[in-house]
Amino acid sequence: MQFTSYSYLLLLFPAVGGYWALPARFRAAYVLALSLLFYAAWKPLYVLAPLLICAVINTCGHKVLALPPDGKRRWMWCGIVFVLLILCLFKYGAASAMPLGISFYSFAAIGFLVDARQGRIKAFSRSDIALFLTFWPNIVSGPIVRFRELIPQFRAHRTFELAMLLRGMDRLIWGLAQKNLIANNIAWWVDEGFRPQAAHLNTTLDNWALAVGFGLQIYFDFAAYSNMAIGSAQLLGITLPENFRFPYHAENPSDFWSRWHMTLSRWIRDYLFFPLNARFRGAPVPLYLSLVGIMALVGLWHGAGWGFVLWGAMHGTYLVLHRVWESLQETHIPRIATSRWTRWGWRLFTLCAVTAAWVPFRAASIGQSLEMLRTMFLAFTFRISYPVNFYLVVLAVGMFCVVEPYLSQAVSRLEKALAQRQASLAAYTFLLRPLAYACGLLLFVIFDDRDAQFIYFQF
């Protein structure tokens, strides 16, 4: 049951109404039951995978809390190895089908064990673990949530507030529009241009347009899912962490990863990079090599293909280059490094480098990606191979991406101004806002493509 399906949208609001109608002590169990039903709606057998991981994590987690340090470490690694084996079996093994979201709730499970060993989690129940790993808004494609962020919210027993409902609706409707109106309209052109037989026919302009187009498609597609997940949870009074913050406005490669898939970035930072950094004690060469290796593993997490590994290694290299630059600016070239031209140079480099890295991520093979990159950077040809509409769509969506943060700021300022005037706020809440929702739903229906799944479902 996709977030963009009519069945999900029609069932969501009765389910939310049931949640608020129940006594507070029954709500967590109600959400757990809904989450299992939601997951089973894809395929009933799928639900066995998260339940098995829940059982193992529950056992290992309680051992971690109860035992002395040596025992904590042993049981933590037992749980982590089990989760990784299950993940590898489905993602890279001979399994005929991969349970949806297994990459995401596997990361959450590993993070839980590490947090338990480090004392960030003091107590939990079997139902807490099950709810944490199967909460329906984020089980399929994130955001990747931590136990201490989610479960205490269910224990808080919040009361219903209209403002909370409106915030949830805002995110839900905007996610629907991002998916159907923006991401799906670019998808057909991108799929056509990335066909394996098209690689040797595309020109420099074609390949740059395709790389930019896919970068915009995957951003609005994944941001749409994240917004709908955050909105669905907000309807229950649950706040999930943000996952995107205008990533194509990044000032440098490090800033990009503080804006793109933010919950994955902080997971990598806290559970992989910081421990390695502590082990190497800041020694630059091992640290730089580990950074490239970690990002290559992140690429491999997306799928068993060399294109994903190359994408990750490219991003690791970008991060190393920026860290080297930062070390130079502290010692040798501080004046140049802090100039306005340098900052804009890094912005341009980041935008071009991230766009180039999308090519191996999307291409069908390494050969295709190398051929496309060759025409983008070495063998220049400037004719166009596709209808003009393709380039206009990419340009229009790109321009919207440019102004997106400024539109967001304008809406925030408007809401703050209206909040100070009760009459205007009432008109906005009960007239203009429903009108905006109706327009968003109308666009969703007009541009509906029921066959278009979210890109990150395959990961």
Side-chain angles (χ1 to χ4, degrees):
M1 192 190 307
Q2 288 203 83
F3 281 173
T4 53
S5 67
Y6 298 146
S7 55
Y8 176 79
L9 296 173
L10 290 173
L11 291 172
L12 176 62
F13 292 97
V16 170
Y19 174 84
W20 290 110
L22 282 172
R25 65 181 182 277
F26 297 127
R27 289 175 184 169
Y30 174 76
V31 172
L32 175 58
L34 287 179
S35 298
L36 293 175
L37 287 172
F38 171 80
Y39 198 73
W42 299 93
K43 191 173 182 180
L45 284 177
Y46 280 170
V47 81
L48 295 178
L51 288 179
L52 177 61
I53 290 178
C54 286
V56 172
I57 295 304
N58 176 68
T59 300
C60 293
H62 278 109
K63 293 290 185 181
V64 167
L65 294 185
L67 294 174
D70 288 345
K72 290 180 186 291
R73 179 181 176 85
R74 184 165 58 250
W75 279 98
M76 180 193 73
W77 279 109
C78 283
I80 290 174
V81 169
F82 176 83
V83 171
L84 291 177
L85 285 175
I86 294 294
L87 178 62
C88 292
L89 173 66
F90 283 108
K91 267 184 100 73
Y92 313 113
S96 58
M98 183 175 70
L100 287 167
I102 190 169
S103 299
F104 292 90
Y105 57 76
S106 294
F107 270 26
I110 291 171
F112 170 84
L113 290 172
V114 175
D115 285 347
R117 189 207 167 198
Q118 295 178 349
R120 299 190 186 97
I121 297 170
K122 303 299 183 183
F124 63 92
S125 66
R126 185 183 296 108
S127 59
D128 287 339
I129 288 291
L131 182 57
F132 166 58
L133 293 181
T134 64
F135 185 44
W136 95 77
N138 67 298
I139 187 176
V140 177
S141 292
I144 301 171
V145 186
R146 302 184 186 189
F147 183 89
R148 62 186 186 273
E149 293 174 331
L150 181 63
I151 298 304
Q153 295 189 67
F154 283 101
R155 296 171 179 163
H157 297 162
R158 293 189 60 177
T159 56
F160 178 80
E161 298 174 6
L162 178 61
M164 174 185 60
L165 177 68
L166 294 176
R167 288 195 299 270
M169 286 292 295
D170 288 349
R171 301 299 287 267
L172 192 66
I173 299 296
W174 176 227
L176 288 170
Q178 283 181 307
K179 174 61 176 170
N180 279 11
L181 182 60
I182 303 177
N184 288 356
N185 272 308
I186 306 178
W188 186 89
W189 299 103
V190 171
D191 292 343
E192 180 70 17
F194 273 96
R195 288 183 300 113
Q197 58 268 36
H200 68 283
L201 301 174
N202 291 340
T203 67
T204 300
L205 288 177
D206 298 336
N207 286 330
W208 273 107
L210 287 167
V212 171
F214 178 67
L216 294 169
Q217 179 201 356
I218 196 172
Y219 164 53
F220 282 106
D221 189 282
F222 197 10
Y225 183 94
S226 297
N227 278 322
M228 296 187 72
I230 291 169
S232 297
Q234 187 67 63
L235 295 176
L236 305 177
I238 303 298
T239 300
L240 296 181
E242 295 295 334
N243 221 16
F244 290 91
R245 184 171 57 85
F246 314 120
Y248 294 125
H249 286 258
E251 296 181 355
N252 53 62
S254 296
D255 189 37
F256 175 80
W257 282 100
S258 70
R259 295 166 174 265
W260 176 275
H261 204 344
M262 294 157 63
T263 55
L264 174 63
S265 299
R266 65 178 186 151
W267 194 99
I268 296 166
R269 179 197 65 197
D270 293 347
Y271 299 119
L272 290 178
F273 183 72
F274 281 174
L276 283 173
N277 193 15
R279 174 165 294 187
F280 295 136
R281 298 180 181 177
V285 174
L287 190 62
Y288 295 158
L289 292 175
S290 69
L291 191 53
V292 175
I294 286 171
M295 293 306 296
L297 285 174
V298 172
L300 189 62
W301 169 78
H302 284 84
W306 286 110
F308 296 121
V309 177
L310 179 56
W311 169 83
M314 290 172 73
H315 274 283
T317 304
Y318 304 155
L319 292 170
V320 168
L321 289 174
H322 185 249
R323 284 183 170 271
V324 170
W325 177 262
E326 285 183 318
S327 65
L328 289 175
Q329 80 174 43
E330 292 174 359
T331 56
H332 295 86
I333 49 174
R335 183 175 299 177
I336 297 175
T338 56
S339 72
R340 179 183 300 177
W341 292 106
T342 301
R343 292 197 300 272
W344 278 101
W346 272 110
R347 280 178 178 269
L348 181 60
F349 169 81
T350 301
L351 193 58
C352 293
V354 168
T355 300
W358 286 129
V359 172
F361 189 95
R362 177 60 179 81
S365 65
I366 286 290
Q368 182 187 15
S369 61
L370 293 178
E371 175 64 20
M372 292 180 70
L373 289 171
R374 184 182 71 84
T375 62
M376 290 167 67
F377 292 100
L378 296 174
F380 300 110
T381 49
F382 296 102
R383 71 176 191 278
I384 60 174
S385 307
Y386 300 98
V388 174
N389 281 351
F390 164 58
Y391 307 95
L392 293 177
V393 167
V394 171
L395 180 62
V397 176
M399 292 304 297
F400 176 77
C401 204
V402 169
V403 302
E404 188 183 16
Y406 307 108
L407 291 175
S408 177
Q409 292 170 11
V411 171
S412 296
R413 286 196 296 268
L414 174 63
E415 290 186 339
K416 288 179 181 178
L418 291 173
Q420 299 172 0
R421 302 172 61 184
Q422 291 301 319
S424 299
L425 180 61
Y428 176 68
T429 300
F430 298 108
L431 180 62
L432 295 180
R433 212 162 190 162
L435 183 61
Y437 293 161
C439 291
L441 287 171
L442 180 62
L443 291 172
F444 158 71
V445 172
I446 291 173
F447 290 95
D448 186 29
D449 182 358
R450 299 182 186 180
D451 296 326
Q453 289 196 342
F454 289 95
I455 293 174
Y456 261 72
F457 279 15
Q458 62 188 293
F459 304 135

